[in-house]
Amino acid sequence: MFKKGLLLGLLVFGVQLNYSQIIRTNLPDTVSNWKSENKIGLDVTQITFVNWNAGGNNSISGLLRGHFVRTYTKGNLNWKSELIGRYGINKQEKQDARKTDDQFQLNSTFGYRTDTISNWYYAGKFNFNTQFANGYAYPNVEFAISKPFAPAYMFFGVGAEYSRKDINFNLYLSPLTQKTTFVFDQRLANQGAFGVEKAIYDEFGNLLKEGKNIRNETGILITNQWKKEVFKNINLEHRLALYTDYINNFGNIDVDWQLQIEMTVNQYVKANIGSHLIYDDDIKSKEEENGIQVIKGPKIQLKQLLGIGVVYTF
């Protein structure tokens, strides 16, 4: 099921990419219904100390990011897909390199409206999230707390979408969305990480039944995206996703909120300030206590980013 879901998502984006290229190549004199946007960026931060009285560690950080969008619009149809990737590392003196950012996300929304003046669409949405590399609760690097496809999340549902391209505003409401959580690392699955059913042991600690690798839920999904130039050369982008399951603790809402400010220096150089807040009752926090990794209860996850680098748009 997981392989089919991931294959479906990549196929959706690949079909859009191929057809948009075919149309631009074979029909140069025809106005294309496809619109594409590609961004690749690299942020680098470096600091070096030589006989610095206040002390400090030499360090270098890098963040590679990509954002690829394909949109098909014709009459009452609108199909938009985007692929987002981010990976960052930090290397400090006398320390191994550590991961600072890691994201792989694929989104695709297909909408149909009854007339060309309406901003409301009947819509279906597909979303897939995972990461590129193992994650650790530093300084403990013996046991990973997350891995590629452990977890991975897939959302697939139907609903209604309100879209205003003139103000870059989008609101999606789905009363029927399936959320599938994948944990394809048996050690993490046995712990019941990320909400999957954990393993069963006898009173002597012997394994009786391994934890499950997949968890399915059905619930309500609401997403909102808005982008605006708040000042000259300063753009604000907001993304919010809210989900609650009908069966398991209905009303207990999973929150995924991203806020980013992009400041343009020139055509290629941009500065970014971003924050990412996540709350999911199924994600338990892990802490280091006396050299032992201890599982705690769910907590608000917050990430803040500040960087300046080169961005190439094509």
Side-chain angles (χ1 to χ4, degrees), residues 53-100:
N53 185 61
N57 287 334
N58 299 335
S59 68
I60 183 169
S61 299
L63 172 63
L64 180 64
R65 47 197 171 89
H67 187 197
F68 309 94
V69 182
R70 296 292 180 271
T71 306
Y72 178 82
T73 305
K74 184 178 182 181
N76 295 333
L77 296 177
N78 186 69
W79 183 19
K80 180 179 179 180
S81 294
E82 62 176 352
L83 178 64
I84 301 172
R86 300 172 62 92
Y87 189 75
I89 58 173
N90 171 265
K91 179 66 173 70
Q92 291 193 21
E93 187 179 9
K94 299 179 182 180
Q95 284 187 352
D96 293 331
R98 296 183 176 184
K99 184 174 68 172
T100 58

Side-chain angles (χ1 to χ4, degrees), residues 273-293:
I273 302 174
S275 64
H276 192 176
L277 183 148
I278 294 176
Y279 179 80
D280 187 336
D281 191 60
D282 296 321
I283 301 178
K284 311 303 181 184
S285 62
K286 297 182 179 180
E287 298 179 3
E288 188 84 9
E289 292 185 358
N290 300 320
I292 301 175
Q293 195 176 92

Side-chain angles (χ1 to χ4, degrees), residues 77 130 149 180 208 217 236 261 288 302:
L77 296 177
T130 189
F149 311 117
T180 305
L208 300 178
E217 303 172 75
L236 173 68
I261 298 174
E288 188 84 9
L302 180 62

Side-chain angles (χ1 to χ4, degrees), residues 64 104 121 129 152 154 185 190 204 243 274 287 308:
L64 180 64
F104 176 88
Y121 292 80
N129 293 280
M154 185 176 69
D185 178 84
N190 288 346
F204 303 105
Y243 178 84
E287 298 179 3
I308 183 168

Side-chain angles (χ1 to χ4, degrees), residues 5-16 83 104 106 126 128:
L6 178 57
L7 181 60
L8 173 63
L10 294 175
L11 182 61
V12 162
F13 194 81
V15 167
Q16 288 185 293
L83 178 64
F104 176 88
L106 177 64
F126 172 88
F128 179 81

